[in-house]
Amino acid sequence: MRCPHHSYKEDPTRDRMRDRANGTTLQHAQDASTPRRRRESKEQRDWAGPQEEDRHGEEQDEVLHHMDTKECGVIPLDNRLQCDKGEGERGDHHDQSEDRQHAAPAEEIADHARRRGAEQIARHRAAEHAAAREAFDNGPWPRMGFDKRHAILNRLAALMEEHADELAMADTRDMGKPITQARHDVARSVWNFRFFADHARMTASDAYPMDSGHHAYTRYDPVGVAVAISPWNFPLMLGTWKVAPALAWGNTVVWKPAEDTPVSATIVARLAIEAGFPPGVLNVVHGYGPDSAGAALTSNPDVDRITFTGESGTGKIIMGAASKNLIPVSLELGGKGANVIFDDADLDNAVDWAVQAIFRNAGQICLSGSRIYVQSGVYDEFLRRFQAQAEALRKGDPKDPTTE
């Protein structure tokens, strides 16, 4: 049964966080009596330890939440920050304008996750499903027609366009990328939702000839709960790249953004509520990886798919955890890119892309061209042009549109 929901307290010194997380009155995850598509052993059900009685106040910090009929899963950021900061910590004369300009919401969320993560996740059986499992097993989302899901996904895309500046600034502040590139990421993220909404509705299945007279064909049905863990260098774009196709095909999603860049995912979840997503379809979880939200999600036997983008060592851990439960995993792992320039290359084009490959996105791209192999015939000329173009890049505040 559900525990009574609680609303977070507003804190005037956290108005920037409030703007990103407003309207998120939450309910607790349903307990272990929630019906499931498959039954686990007692050992699997108890992987996170015994369930304790839910309590209000500071102890209400589950990672997954079950929302009421008007909301989907978003962590109440203001409540979480407020519960650890007494009113006496900030005087009445605190400069709120300075707080808005210099406060780092990502750092505060990450710090909260570090302090509250493992114990709270274990106590409340964070990845023991709740909203996403219930929404898939008993909710309308996987049973909707493609057209209905298409309409909701496109409403979300339109809302993201309306809030493009807010989304772009969130990634710029969290990650440090130039604002012009963050705006490009927002446009691409909008496109992700629209493309996959169309793709799911229009994709044709295959039929296979059978000498026996049987009719053999493929169907593409939703599989269940997808866990999406996105990286910090493209928080919104790569996050929606994972979330959009899973939702479009009727799955429910638990999205854990990187602990360094949590804000844009929270904004998307807020907009999903406004777009009309049923409760529990899209859930956002904040926390660290090892011994925290990431480990709890990827080791959960009741997850149906896992998709992760990030560091190779973490990918190995996730694959190992998922293998114990035979959960399919999609991994996009970091590498070390190289550019190869031959004598007959168009040097203007080669230099331009070589510079972008290493300096674009504040130099944080998984395929950054951190090595360049140049054939001897054009080596000196390439180096001269590369140095000149690199030194001409405009450096400055990432919030300044002219910064490259």
Side-chain angles (χ1 to χ4, degrees), residues 10-145:
E10 291 195 1
D11 181 352
T13 67
R14 290 291 179 269
D15 56 340
R16 198 158 60 126
M17 297 297 292
R18 178 196 61 214
D19 291 341
R20 290 176 171 81
N22 58 3
T24 54
T25 301
L26 302 176
Q27 289 184 321
H28 284 272
Q30 290 189 327
D31 61 20
S33 64
T34 301
R36 303 176 184 234
R37 288 190 306 114
R38 60 177 186 268
R39 303 297 300 176
E40 312 93 61
S41 66
K42 183 179 185 300
E43 290 76 18
Q44 288 174 318
R45 291 197 303 271
D46 294 340
W47 70 273
Q51 174 126 13
E52 294 188 4
E53 181 181 356
D54 290 319
R55 291 170 289 181
H56 287 285
E58 293 187 4
E59 299 303 317
Q60 292 183 319
D61 283 295
E62 308 89 339
V63 172
L64 296 180
H65 296 74
H66 185 79
M67 310 301 297
D68 66 21
T69 56
K70 295 182 180 179
E71 296 167 346
C72 64
V74 187
I75 287 183
L77 301 178
D78 283 318
N79 184 55
R80 290 179 166 238
L81 294 172
Q82 176 73 4
C83 71
D84 288 310
K85 295 183 181 292
E87 295 180 359
E89 289 194 24
R90 293 189 182 272
D92 294 336
H93 301 292
H94 172 68
D95 186 346
Q96 295 182 21
S97 63
E98 181 180 350
D99 184 79
R100 285 193 294 273
Q101 292 175 8
H102 300 293
E107 292 178 6
E108 298 192 26
I109 294 171
D111 180 66
H112 184 85
R114 179 167 51 249
R115 288 182 283 108
R116 315 285 295 195
E119 180 183 353
Q120 292 294 332
I121 290 168
R123 176 158 53 239
H124 295 285
R125 306 177 67 141
E128 200 60 37
H129 255 115
R133 181 82 274 160
E134 173 68 14
F136 185 82
D137 290 347
N138 300 308
W141 188 254
R143 297 159 186 84
M144 281 184 184

Side-chain angles (χ1 to χ4, degrees), residues 274-308:
E274 189 175 344
F277 275 67
V281 172
L282 175 59
N283 306 272
V284 169
V285 172
H286 294 305
Y288 282 78
D291 301 319
S292 186
L297 290 170
T298 55
S299 62
N300 186 352
D302 206 21
V303 163
D304 299 291
R305 293 291 187 274
I306 299 171
T307 171
F308 168 78

Side-chain angles (χ1 to χ4, degrees), residues 320-369:
S323 68
K324 296 177 182 178
N325 299 305
L326 298 178
I327 297 171
V329 178
S330 169
L331 299 175
E332 181 191 3
L333 306 179
K336 187 154 183 75
N339 293 327
V340 182
I341 314 298
F342 293 103
D343 286 347
D344 60 351
D346 178 347
L347 281 190
D348 287 337
N349 190 52
V351 167
D352 181 59
W353 281 108
V355 169
Q356 289 196 54
I358 189 60
F359 293 115
R360 188 174 177 83
N361 201 55
Q364 302 297 335
I365 305 177
C366 58
L367 42 73
S368 288

Side-chain angles (χ1 to χ4, degrees), residues 259-279:
E259 61 271 14
D260 298 310
T261 54
V263 177
S264 59
T266 305
I267 298 171
V268 171
R270 186 194 72 196
L271 296 177
I273 297 171
E274 189 175 344
F277 275 67

